[in-house]
Amino acid sequence: GAFDEAMLPTVSQMRVPLVMMHTRGTPLDMARRAVYADVTADICSELAARVALAEAAGIPPWRLIADPGIGFAKTPEQSLTLMRELPRFVASFCGEGSVRAAATLIGASRKGFVGRALGQPDPLQRQWGNAATVCAAIAGGGDMVRVHEVEEMRQVALMADAIYRQTFNAEW
């Protein structure tokens, strides 16, 4: 809804889920807007304000998916901090007593911070870094991940779920 004023009323009328992603500015100026006192707290606060607008437009929390916007108006260091502090983000939106969204979505695949951490400028060569972000997202309580290497990251997600959420795929 940040870039299109008709988005929230349309989503409300259509009764479909909506991913609410944090960002600041536009793709042209978001890099210079990546200034935060406490990146996780600031993002939770700013996104909560947008969620409140969605709720005011008639979109209930059970149709909202909260996304911290990894890499959008965030430096590589801030993106890493968000990954480390995902439990705070998840608790802010889906935690007991603060249900503002039905789920969380983490989209870190092929992002610049992964390349910087790996020393790998080619996004197509960051699969193992992407795998680490999927595992971190699940360990941090994230509900959904956005990935590029779907089959490979499916395996990572299944294994991370087995470790961190004690789910086990017994179908062979």
Side-chain angles (χ1 to χ4, degrees):
F3 297 112
D4 183 349
E5 63 186 38
M7 181 66 70
L8 296 179
T10 301
V11 168
S12 178
Q13 180 184 2
M14 301 292 295
R15 298 180 182 217
V16 294
L18 175 65
V19 174
M20 303 283 299
M21 184 188 82
H22 176 273
T23 190
R24 286 181 174 172
T26 68
L28 297 176
D29 69 354
M30 68 175 59
R32 70 173 181 256
R33 294 177 182 247
V35 178
Y36 303 92
D38 175 329
V39 67
T40 304
D42 293 353
I43 285 164
C44 288
S45 175
E46 292 172 22
L47 191 55
R50 292 192 51 224
V51 165
L53 291 174
E55 289 176 348
I59 305 168
W62 58 86
R63 285 194 299 166
L64 296 175
I65 300 163
D67 179 346
I70 302 288
F72 288 85
K74 283 106 183 150
T75 66
E77 293 80 8
Q78 291 164 340
S79 291
L80 284 168
T81 297
L82 275 170
M83 292 299 298
R84 280 196 273 320
E85 296 182 359
L86 276 176
R88 281 178 65 195
F89 177 83
V90 170
S92 178
F93 288 93
C94 299
E96 193 173 314
S98 66
V99 179
R100 298 177 180 161
T104 55
L105 169 69
I106 312 304
S109 182
R110 296 188 183 170
K111 295 287 175 78
F113 84 98
V114 176
R116 184 141 167 222
L118 298 176
Q120 178 52 261
D122 182 358
L124 299 177
Q125 299 302 314
R126 298 177 184 165
Q127 310 83 307
W128 298 112
N130 297 339
T133 67
V134 168
C135 191
I138 291 168
D143 298 298
M144 295 180 244
V145 291
R146 183 204 43 83
V147 299
H148 291 89
E149 301 89 1
V150 175
E151 182 53 35
E152 294 87 343
M153 295 309 121
R154 177 182 171 277
Q155 290 183 29
V156 171
L158 286 171
M159 193 66 218
D161 276 343
I163 294 167
Y164 295 106
R165 297 183 179 174
Q166 300 178 4
T167 61
F168 190 68
N169 183 2
E171 296 179 26
W172 284 72

